[in-house]
Amino acid sequence: MTTFTPRVFSGMQPTGNLHLGNYLGAMLNWVKMQDTNECVYCVVDMHAITLWQNPIALRQAIRDVTAAYLACGLDPKRSIIFNQSQVPEHAELAWVFNCVARLGWLNRMTQFKDKAGKDKEAASVGLYVYPNLMAADILAYKATHVPVGEDQKQHLELARDIAAKFNNDYEVEFFPQPEPYIVGTATRVMSLRDGTKKMSKSDPSDLSRINLTDSADDIAKKIRKAKTDMDALPSEPAGLKGRPEAENLVGIFAALNGGTVQDVLTQFGGGQFSGLKNALADLAVEKLAPIAIETKRLQADQTYIDQVLADGSARARAIAAPIVKDVREIVGFLVS
Ligand code: TRP
């Protein structure tokens, strides 16, 4: 068995603002991983255009997400931070993977069904082969560890299948089997208006989410207005069963505080929601308002953001180019 050097790769789409769900479910982990791993963090702008994007808004969103990455604590000195389209090897490898992956595999992807909606004939071909591009993102770096949420696990499985089929078809041990990876905890953050739905940038109600650019006042207001039920808070985690709003607020508190759900219930169990909400509003403002301020400061410095992405793209390319050159050789193209 070939052993592969450990390397972390992950990415987010530059569409809409990042919110608390992205922060507690992903970014906090990405930041931690930098301490112990070589990390490559991508702004996946090529994935974004699988659904039409206004070009001016897209360019802005690429810079905004980069500013949020940095404000959350991704460090461009320790990690590679870049945008996908500046490294053409992603597109090149994705083409090879279009020829490795089978139609039947892609037909099973549940996210395509959700995103394409009722009229599948009208969906872009890019949306359909989106998972192949994601596999190329990961495997262009021979990444071994991929922090992703539940909703991306199926795509990661596909990347593993593509890696295995490529190795098998060409009789090589070239690509690793990338694994899902979580350091510490990832918290599934739900809508503040409906505890059964994920917090989402596409929810029409802005009260449903805390954006990473919200002001201190907005953060506090949204928490105070968050939906609750009528009962007192339980003292044990088991008491949160069937109470999605309570579970969500307690989970958010624990994650922001770096403690456990039991810690939160020991403190607030038996009390009304208002006590928890007041404390959570203070905690969320303390943790998130500085990120918003730093994001805004960075957004005002476009030259710096563009510089981070240009530098990151050059470093990313230095890794991906030799790997994709080997792929050309393996599949039988002429390599000069
Ligand atoms: N599809 C991922 C999402 O929407 C984003 C993504 C693209 C990604 N390429 C990736 C995540 C590679 C991890 C690794 O969340």
Side-chain angles (χ1 to χ4, degrees):
M1 269 293 275
T2 317
T3 53
F4 292 90
T5 320
R7 181 177 283 145
V8 171
F9 185 99
S10 201
M12 274 186 206
Q13 292 199 44
T15 47
N17 274 326
L18 298 195
H19 53 68
L20 186 63
N22 303 118
Y23 183 65
L24 296 178
M27 296 302 305
L28 267 186
N29 261 296
W30 293 17
V31 170
K32 270 203 206 103
M33 284 172 188
Q34 299 179 115
D35 297 338
T36 43
N37 299 279
E38 183 193 347
C39 298
V40 183
Y41 294 124
C42 187
V43 177
V44 292
D45 47 12
M46 290 161 61
H47 278 105
I49 63 164
T50 56
L51 304 173
W52 189 83
Q53 305 294 323
N54 174 302
I56 294 168
L58 178 60
R59 203 166 356 257
Q60 187 62 47
I62 294 167
R63 292 181 174 128
D64 287 350
V65 170
T66 307
Y69 276 10
L70 301 175
C72 287
L74 296 191
D75 175 357
K77 291 200 190 68
R78 284 189 291 164
S79 302
I80 295 179
I81 298 169
F82 76 109
N83 62 312
Q84 191 182 28
S85 63
Q86 289 202 76
V87 179
E89 281 74 14
H90 291 244
E92 185 176 351
L93 188 57
W95 177 257
V96 175
F97 288 170
N98 285 344
C99 303
V100 173
R102 306 289 95 183
L103 278 180
W105 300 1
L106 287 168
N107 284 338
R108 284 194 282 277
M109 296 294 117
T110 55
Q111 194 177 71
F112 174 78
K113 291 177 193 144
D114 296 341
K115 285 200 182 180
K118 283 199 192 77
D119 191 3
K120 302 218 177 346
E121 299 284 310
S124 74
V125 176
L127 188 65
Y128 187 69
V129 294
Y130 174 121
N132 295 346
L133 177 59
M134 179 164 158
D137 297 339
I138 297 164
L139 294 168
Y141 302 87
K142 297 192 179 180
T144 52
H145 295 85
V146 184
V148 284
E150 235 9 86
D151 64 323
Q152 296 297 318
K153 287 244 169 88
Q154 194 184 33
H155 291 161
L156 191 57
E157 281 297 320
L158 187 91
R160 295 162 64 86
D161 290 345
I162 289 174
K165 184 164 183 351
F166 180 95
N167 288 349
N168 190 59
D169 286 355
Y170 294 102
E171 298 180 359
V172 287
E173 277 196 53
F174 187 71
F175 287 123
Q177 286 278 291
E179 287 173 31
Y181 187 48
I182 302 289
V183 169
T185 54
T187 306
R188 205 170 136 80
V189 180
M190 312 306 283
S191 158
L192 298 178
R193 306 302 304 166
D194 177 352
T196 64
K197 284 201 305 208
K198 250 178 72 167
M199 185 174 284
S200 158
K201 60 191 166 198
S202 52
D203 192 311
S205 168
D206 196 54
L207 285 175
S208 71
R209 70 187 150 259
I210 295 175
N211 304 300
L212 292 185
T213 47
D214 281 348
S215 67
D217 284 352
D218 283 339
I219 294 170
K221 182 183 80 183
K222 287 176 180 180
I223 287 172
R224 294 217 169 84
K225 291 199 168 174
K227 186 175 169 202
T228 59
D229 56 43
M230 306 299 283
D231 296 333
L233 288 159
S235 304
E236 303 290 330
L240 292 169
K241 274 235 155 56
R243 301 180 63 187
E245 283 82 20
E247 187 173 15
N248 191 33
L249 293 176
V250 169
I252 292 171
F253 193 103
L256 283 174
N257 212 20
T260 65
V261 165
Q262 181 61 68
D263 294 339
V264 181
L265 295 179
T266 303
Q267 195 180 344
F268 296 98
Q272 298 303 311
F273 272 95
S274 56
L276 173 68
K277 279 184 165 183
N278 286 333
L280 180 56
D282 289 346
L283 177 64
V285 167
E286 176 197 325
K287 299 284 181 184
L288 303 176
I291 295 177
I293 292 168
E294 178 64 358
T295 303
K296 294 212 171 94
R297 189 187 70 77
L298 289 163
Q299 280 170 335
D301 193 350
Q302 192 177 298
T303 314
Y304 175 69
I305 296 291
D306 289 4
Q307 165 74 50
V308 166
L309 292 174
D311 172 68
S313 298
R315 285 157 61 207
R317 201 162 186 201
I319 300 172
I323 292 173
V324 173
K325 187 174 181 204
D326 287 346
V327 169
R328 284 191 212 129
E329 183 94 49
I330 290 168
V331 304
F333 296 158
L334 298 179
V335 175
S336 55

